[in-house]
Amino acid sequence: MGRIAGRFGRVEPRAAARAYLLGLLSSVERKNCWQLAEQAGHSRPGPMQRLLRHARWDADAVRDDVRAYTAECLGAAGAVLVVDETGFLKKGRASAGVQRQYTGTAGRIENSQVGVFLALATSRGRALIDRRLYLPEQSWCSDPERRHAAGIPEKVRFATKPQLAGEMIAAALDAGVTASWVTGDEAYGQDPRLRAALEARGTGYVLAVACSMRVRINHGRTAVRADIVADRLPATAWQRHSAGNGAKGPRFYDWCWIHIGTGSHRYLLVRRNRATGELAFYMCWSPTGVALSELVRVAGVRWSVEECFQAAKGQVGLDHYQVRHWISWHRHITLAMLALAFLTAVADDAAPQRPADLHQPAHSSGPIALTVPEIRRLFGAVFHPPAVSAVRLLHWSTWRRRHQATARRSHYRRRTADEPAG
């Protein structure tokens, strides 16, 4: 809280933010305003709702603090910025940016919001450091009435997901975050403008691309599909490398790299699954020469953002919000990012000395290092408030049921009004 206290001009929202963060770090089942207010000992959810909607504080400024805190606590050589998106399943059409769209969260087209995130991954840990809510062009950007109802600022214009990623990467680098590499999946690797922007900044990248991606070989004279290039490779071109440790040990694949284009450090990287033979492709560029093992390492780091999403949703309620407004979404997401960064920093502080070779599995017979979920459980046990009285439990039960009755009457009234006359 000392990091962000100055972002709140009044003591009331500052105290509410502290209670909100403690709630995100607690064992509360659903981390929405109702349950966080009950956890904090409030008689109503009003203070938490005001914190997200009406209180005067700048979520982007707090985001800057989260980014600086994460870089300070987790900074290390070989840091990688990872871009990816995640979906937030929603009902209705009033939430900012919501529409029926594909989301990997559900694995299909669903009514959802999509957030594009930037993570910082190093040997010391990984955490989310920036976020952008994707705003669909047709259903939102071109509908002034809908934008106004959701509180979307006039200055916000349509931007593709790679454009949002580029903005976050540029902001992080301009803010002094030290990272030599950027990685991401096909949605970002296929965008030539993002790759060009990274090259212009001198930032290396290992970005996934589709098998149909056309690359230039023979010193740029011939354009060929990536999968055709891979089919022509001799057996001797493949090398076995680990893409880092997974839950079950080192993740070994067969890898090869092919010089492409006219630059001296531009490559097509191909990964082959040793069991199934399935191929994956990456466009790579670096300002200086690097070894194949370094490109493999960066490609393997891409999956760390999925671990961030899993931890953020499962441990600190990244997707537990029940808000519709543009400002409210950014405020909840930012506070959840801060909670995750705090847990990750504590985990790094508590970790034993790491071996020089991070690809080697640990052989210690002792317990594993403290994990983010375990630290959250311990933290909740230490800071959990005294047992709630029966009177307070009954008060909140009555409040919830009254509120639900009001919502039910409203829904029934609207449904009845929509029915045609008999």
Side-chain angles (χ1 to χ4, degrees):
M1 278 303 299
R3 293 273 181 163
I4 67 170
R7 304 299 186 181
F8 301 88
R10 295 175 57 86
V11 66
E12 294 86 357
R14 185 160 59 245
R18 181 181 184 276
Y20 200 95
L21 281 167
L22 285 172
L24 294 178
L25 294 166
S26 73
S27 58
V28 172
E29 180 182 1
R30 293 291 298 175
K31 295 175 171 60
N32 53 46
C33 286
W34 288 15
Q35 296 202 21
L36 295 183
E38 184 177 5
Q39 170 78 5
H42 299 159
S43 60
R44 296 176 65 84
M48 299 302 187
Q49 293 171 339
R50 283 194 296 274
L51 175 71
L52 296 187
R53 179 65 179 86
H54 298 293
R56 296 183 62 182
W57 61 282
D58 188 344
D60 285 346
V62 175
R63 181 272 321 275
D64 294 345
D65 294 334
V66 174
R67 182 173 58 204
Y69 171 67
T70 304
E72 177 184 324
C73 294
L74 303 182
V80 180
L81 294 173
V82 192
V83 292
D84 202 2
E85 63 200 62
T86 190
F88 303 90
L89 303 183
K90 303 294 289 184
K91 295 180 180 179
R93 61 186 304 274
S95 300
V98 71
Q99 73 168 14
R100 286 188 57 80
Q101 55 192 322
Y102 178 82
T103 168
T105 302
R108 58 183 181 274
I109 294 176
E110 286 284 356
N111 197 59
S112 61
Q113 296 169 297
V114 171
V116 181
F117 288 81
L118 182 68
L120 176 66
T122 75
S123 59
R124 300 175 63 184
R126 61 286 309 265
L128 303 173
I129 62 172
D130 206 348
R131 73 287 180 268
R132 296 287 193 279
L133 180 60
Y134 173 68
L135 201 62
E137 183 174 16
Q138 298 301 323
S139 59
W140 279 94
C141 291
S142 304
D143 191 334
E145 183 177 348
R146 199 177 186 193
R147 289 171 59 107
H148 177 74
I152 299 171
E154 291 185 5
K155 65 180 181 180
V156 176
R157 294 289 182 262
F158 173 72
T160 65
K161 295 168 186 175
Q163 285 175 327
L164 296 176
E167 292 173 5
M168 293 189 291
I169 293 167
L173 296 175
D174 290 341
V177 175
T178 303
S180 304
W181 295 96
V182 170
T183 186
D185 65 17
E186 290 181 17
Y188 306 94
Q190 296 286 128
D191 190 287
R193 290 171 295 184
L194 177 60
R195 300 198 306 269
L198 292 174
E199 292 181 21
R201 295 193 69 113
T203 303
Y205 60 78
V206 178
L207 296 167
V209 294
C211 63
S212 58
M213 182 76 173
R214 300 186 72 85
V215 297
R216 292 195 168 275
I217 58 176
N218 297 331
H219 301 287
R221 293 191 295 270
T222 308
V224 186
R225 281 174 55 115
D227 53 356
I228 295 177
V229 173
D231 288 341
R232 296 175 179 174
L233 294 172
T236 55
W238 298 92
Q239 302 179 37
R240 186 186 184 197
H241 287 279
S242 169
N245 289 335
K248 299 180 180 179
R251 297 172 295 159
F252 284 107
Y253 296 92
D254 291 332
W255 301 83
C256 70
W257 57 341
I258 304 100
H259 181 265
I260 58 175
T262 56
S264 57
H265 308 300
R266 194 183 307 277
Y267 304 97
L268 173 68
L269 177 67
V270 187
R271 185 194 73 198
R272 183 174 67 189
N273 188 299
R274 296 174 59 82
T276 65
E278 181 182 3
L279 300 180
F281 303 87
Y282 304 84
M283 290 284 285
C284 309
W285 179 86
S286 63
T288 59
V290 295
L292 171 60
S293 58
E294 177 67 358
L295 299 182
V296 169
R297 180 188 72 84
V298 177
V301 169
R302 182 170 72 87
W303 295 103
S304 62
V305 71
E306 299 294 343
E307 298 173 357
C308 287
F309 291 148
Q310 182 179 3
K313 292 181 178 182
Q315 302 299 321
V316 297
L318 185 76
D319 59 342
H320 291 190
Y321 61 87
Q322 293 177 339
V323 298
R324 297 175 175 177
H325 202 270
W326 175 271
I327 291 177
S328 302
W329 185 90
H330 284 85
R331 289 181 171 184
H332 169 83
I333 295 296
T334 302
L335 292 175
M337 287 166 47
L338 176 56
L340 178 63
F342 167 75
L343 291 175
T344 307
V346 173
D348 174 64
D349 286 342
Q353 179 134 15
R354 295 172 176 82
D357 186 357
L358 294 174
H359 293 275
Q360 292 299 319
H363 296 289
S364 172
S365 59
I368 66 170
L370 284 168
T371 61
V372 164
E374 186 65 22
I375 289 172
R376 186 186 63 81
R377 280 191 286 269
L378 293 172
F379 185 86
V382 171
F383 287 90
H384 189 70
V388 180
S389 68
V391 173
R392 185 168 292 280
L393 285 174
L394 289 173
H395 164 81
W396 270 97
S397 175
T398 302
W399 190 92
R400 281 193 296 269
R401 289 183 289 114
R402 284 178 177 169
H403 188 90
Q404 290 161 353
T406 301
R408 177 182 293 179
R409 286 194 299 271
S410 177
H411 288 311
Y412 273 54
R413 191 178 301 115
R414 186 183 302 113
R415 182 67 58 86
T416 302
D418 290 342
E419 285 293 324

